[in-house]
């Protein structure tokens, strides 16, 4: 390595350190203003994979911190999932798990039954949230139930705005989240689909999809 090369590297390192120092100072200034806490309404939606996975990631984070939480599944139910098996087997003292759905609507082919299942899931969700005993409640695939009007979105919004305890986080997953729900949410993430193995003839696999 030549002397000129060494000097260039030292100069670049110094410039980088100076740049990062300024960035840290700016970041610290911003973070100093972020002192509030509240129970968030969180939505994971979009056509891409990972909506429920993201929701369960938050649930497992709660479990890791010893914080009480709950899961209500609005659609899934016909098949076993890794998340449910793990929680029921090892963490049922911290996380209640309620599988209320019977599968997707094209599987049951009975709208009245689907509506009844969704309404029962919503009743259980309201009970868990309003109790004030849970720090987080995951409403898995509720957006699908709302999309098909199995549940009244206005009722859901009114409940979240007036009856949700101040420090309870509510996570809602599923495609096609209603615009009205997105409007009142604190955190919304849309999963964008770029590629999916299903389109190449690959079925859902254990440990990836469930």
């Amino acid at each position: 390595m030549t002397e000129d090369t060494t000097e260039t590297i030292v100069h670049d390192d110094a410039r980088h350190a100076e740049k990062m120092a300024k960035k840290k100072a700016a970041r610290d200034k911003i973070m100093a203003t972020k002192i509030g806490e509240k129970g968030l309404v969180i939505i994971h939606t979009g056509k891409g994979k990972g909506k429920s996975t993201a929701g369960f990631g938050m649930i497992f984070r709660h479990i890791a911190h010893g914080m009480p939480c709950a899961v209500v599944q609005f659609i899934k139910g016909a098949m076993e999932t890794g998340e449910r098996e793990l929680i029921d087997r090892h963490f049922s003292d911290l996380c209640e798990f309620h599988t209320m759905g019977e599968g997707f609507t094209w599987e049951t082919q009975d709208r009245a039954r689907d509506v009844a299942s969704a309404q029962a899931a919503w009743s259980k969700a309201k009970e868990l949230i309003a109790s004030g005993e849970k720090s987080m409640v995951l409403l898995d695939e509720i957006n699908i139930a709302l999309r098909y009007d199995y549940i009244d979105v206005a009722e859901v919004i009114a409940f979240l705005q007036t009856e949700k305890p101040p420090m309870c986080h509510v996570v809602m997953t599923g495609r096609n989240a209603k615009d009205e729900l997105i409007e009142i949410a604190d955190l919304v993430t849309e999963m964008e689909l770029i590629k999916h193995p299903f389109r190449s003839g690959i079925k859902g696999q254990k440990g990836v999809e469930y």
Side-chain angles (χ1 to χ4, degrees):
M1 184 179 294
T2 67
E3 184 176 340
D4 288 344
T5 300
T6 302
E7 289 180 357
T8 299
I9 291 173
V10 170
H11 178 68
D12 288 345
D13 286 348
R15 286 182 59 192
H16 177 77
E18 182 181 358
K19 182 178 179 181
M20 291 302 106
K22 289 180 179 178
K23 183 170 286 190
K24 183 180 185 306
R27 181 69 177 173
D28 289 347
K29 185 176 181 180
I30 292 171
M31 293 302 294
T33 68
K34 311 300 181 184
I35 58 175
E37 290 187 339
K38 62 173 290 191
L40 304 175
V41 174
I42 300 167
I43 296 175
H44 298 301
T45 191
K47 295 181 179 180
K49 174 176 165 51
K51 299 176 287 294
S52 294
T53 304
F56 276 107
M58 290 183 167
I59 286 292
F60 286 121
R61 186 172 288 163
H62 254 63
I63 289 171
H65 286 297
M67 302 167 75
C69 50
V71 177
V72 180
Q73 290 192 303
F74 279 72
I75 304 295
K76 297 167 186 170
M79 62 187 295
E80 291 296 320
T81 64
E83 298 95 340
R84 183 168 64 189
E85 288 187 18
L86 183 63
I87 289 172
D88 284 345
R89 190 179 303 166
H90 299 290
F91 304 113
S92 58
D93 58 328
L94 279 173
C95 183
E96 290 188 43
F97 206 117
H98 300 274
T99 300
M100 312 291 288
E102 298 184 73
F104 290 95
T105 188
W106 55 82
E107 293 170 342
T108 64
Q109 300 176 25
D110 186 336
R111 178 177 169 80
R113 204 164 93 192
D114 290 341
V115 171
S117 294
Q119 290 288 339
W122 175 232
S123 293
K124 174 56 69 175
K126 289 191 292 183
E127 174 189 325
L128 291 165
I129 295 167
S131 72
E133 298 174 358
K134 308 299 181 186
S135 179
M136 174 176 284
V137 180
L138 169 60
L139 309 183
D140 190 33
E141 305 285 17
I142 188 176
N143 290 336
I144 294 177
L146 289 167
R147 176 190 180 189
Y148 288 112
D149 297 320
Y150 296 164
I151 310 167
D152 181 8
V153 67
E155 178 188 344
V156 173
I157 290 171
F159 175 83
L160 293 174
Q161 290 183 321
T162 62
E163 298 188 50
K164 181 182 78 65
M167 288 308 298
C168 178
H169 306 291
V170 177
V171 184
M172 312 172 82
T173 72
R175 292 186 180 200
N176 302 112
K178 294 271 189 176
D179 290 340
E180 307 97 300
L181 199 59
I182 289 174
E183 182 65 28
I184 64 101
D186 299 289
L187 173 60
V188 181
T189 301
E190 183 172 6
M191 309 296 186
E192 182 180 354
L193 176 62
I194 297 176
K195 293 181 72 175
H196 199 293
F198 187 78
R199 293 180 172 180
S200 301
I202 307 300
K203 67 178 183 179
Q205 299 175 85
K206 184 182 292 187
V208 180
E209 273 79 26
Y210 60 92

